[in-house]
Amino acid sequence: KKSAYGYYLPAIRKFMLCLRKGYGTTPDKEQYVAFSDYYDHYKETYELSKKEQKLRNRNFVILCLLEALSFLVLLNAEKAYDVFQLIINIKTENPIELGDSILRALLWVIVLYVSIRYCQNTIYVERQYKYIHKLEERISEKITDFNREGFNYLSNRPFVLKFIHTFYTWISPLFFIIVNSTRLLMEIKTLGFGFYLFFDVPICILILVLSVSYMCFINRNTKEDKINKKHNFFKKMLTRS
């Protein structure tokens, strides 16, 4: 896959040629420096966004594994905690034996932490997308069709990308909400009321609030993207005409 610089190198050369035609045999220095600084900022922003996307994807995989373990707790709590204990012993140099109550509390804490990190990564990436779109609009004033992450990405999306988007924005968070809420209810049913509720209930509520907030944020962004897509489409048509 081409880098951001390599992808737009032909367009940059075309822009420099236009400068030569408009300002003599050599590009105007102020025009060149302004464009160079702007494009360098775009490249840096794009690379930072790609790094954050990798962290987001990694945290999503970890969160899915943790939720799968939580789902296993619903099916067979004893086997689920044995698997969790085995994972802990693999990660530690000296094997330790933890009770089910500690493993249960530890699983809640890790799910909460990874959920927070995943939401942070996702919000950062989504906000960077908007900023990158604005940068591309500004650069498009000098170079036509400079819109890989903006208009070009939002237009004519195939069904598979739409399904993947639905999976991230609706299916997975709803599944997480169902698993965690069901797990808490099952703990109350099997263990009864006890001091553990003062720990497990607040953490579960925080996880549910994070999941709902994530769904609201990501789907609100989707609506805004659709509006921007229509706006960019008409803007592009007017520019061409």
Side-chain angles (χ1 to χ4, degrees):
K1 188 177 180 179
K2 292 185 178 179
S3 64
Y5 180 77
Y7 190 89
Y8 290 117
L9 186 58
I12 294 171
R13 289 173 177 169
K14 182 180 179 181
F15 169 71
M16 298 308 299
L17 180 61
C18 291
L19 281 180
R20 288 189 178 93
K21 290 181 179 179
Y23 296 95
T25 56
T26 59
D28 181 82
K29 288 185 178 180
E30 292 183 0
Q31 289 277 335
Y32 176 79
V33 171
F35 175 79
S36 179
D37 291 343
Y38 214 86
Y39 185 70
D40 287 341
H41 178 62
Y42 171 82
K43 287 193 298 179
E44 182 182 358
T45 304
Y46 179 79
E47 293 301 326
L48 289 174
S49 178
K50 294 299 289 184
K51 290 180 181 179
E52 198 69 20
Q53 287 178 47
K54 291 180 180 179
L55 292 175
R56 178 197 63 182
N57 296 339
R58 186 192 67 180
N59 286 328
F60 180 75
V61 171
I62 295 173
L63 184 59
C64 287
L65 294 175
L66 290 170
E67 294 295 353
L69 186 60
S70 297
F71 183 74
L72 183 59
V73 171
L74 300 178
L75 301 178
N76 192 322
E78 185 177 350
K79 285 187 177 180
Y81 291 134
D82 288 342
V83 172
F84 194 27
Q85 178 71 69
L86 179 62
I87 295 172
I88 293 174
N89 290 337
I90 291 174
K91 294 295 182 179
T92 56
E93 295 181 358
N94 299 320
I96 54 176
E97 291 293 331
L98 300 175
D100 288 352
S101 58
I102 297 177
L103 291 172
R104 181 179 64 250
L106 186 60
L107 182 57
W108 279 117
V109 171
I110 296 176
V111 169
L112 175 61
Y113 173 76
V114 177
S115 298
I116 292 173
R117 294 297 301 153
Y118 174 68
C119 289
Q120 287 177 330
N121 298 141
T122 302
I123 291 173
Y124 179 85
V125 169
E126 291 296 323
R127 295 182 68 179
Q128 286 296 96
Y129 274 145
K130 290 184 177 181
Y131 186 59
I132 289 173
H133 294 174
K134 291 180 180 179
L135 291 177
E136 289 185 349
E137 288 178 3
R138 292 293 299 273
I139 297 175
S140 293
E141 296 174 1
K142 300 295 183 182
I143 298 177
T144 57
D145 296 329
F146 194 94
N147 48 30
R148 179 176 63 178
E149 300 297 324
F151 175 80
N152 185 59
Y153 179 78
L154 294 174
S155 61
N156 300 322
R157 299 176 70 182
F159 172 77
V160 63
L161 288 181
K162 293 180 180 179
F163 175 77
I164 292 173
H165 180 75
T166 302
F167 175 80
Y168 276 106
T169 57
W170 285 104
I171 298 175
S172 60
L174 284 175
F175 175 75
F176 297 159
I177 290 172
I178 293 172
V179 169
N180 289 299
S181 56
T182 306
R183 180 187 163 200
L184 180 63
L185 294 174
M186 190 172 181
E187 284 184 6
I188 296 174
K189 182 179 179 180
T190 55
L191 301 176
F193 291 91
F195 288 106
Y196 75 93
L197 291 176
F198 293 99
F199 184 82
D200 293 358
V201 171
I203 291 181
C204 181
I205 291 174
L206 287 174
I207 293 172
L208 297 181
V209 169
L210 277 173
S211 300
V212 173
S213 300
Y214 166 81
M215 290 176 64
C216 294
F217 172 81
I218 204 73
N219 286 290
R220 183 184 64 201
N221 272 17
T222 302
K223 291 182 179 179
E224 292 178 358
D225 287 340
K226 289 180 179 179
I227 295 173
N228 291 333
K229 176 184 174 181
K230 293 180 180 179
H231 176 265
N232 291 333
F233 175 78
F234 288 115
K235 183 179 179 181
K236 194 171 184 180
M237 293 299 103
L238 290 173
T239 303
R240 288 181 176 178
S241 61

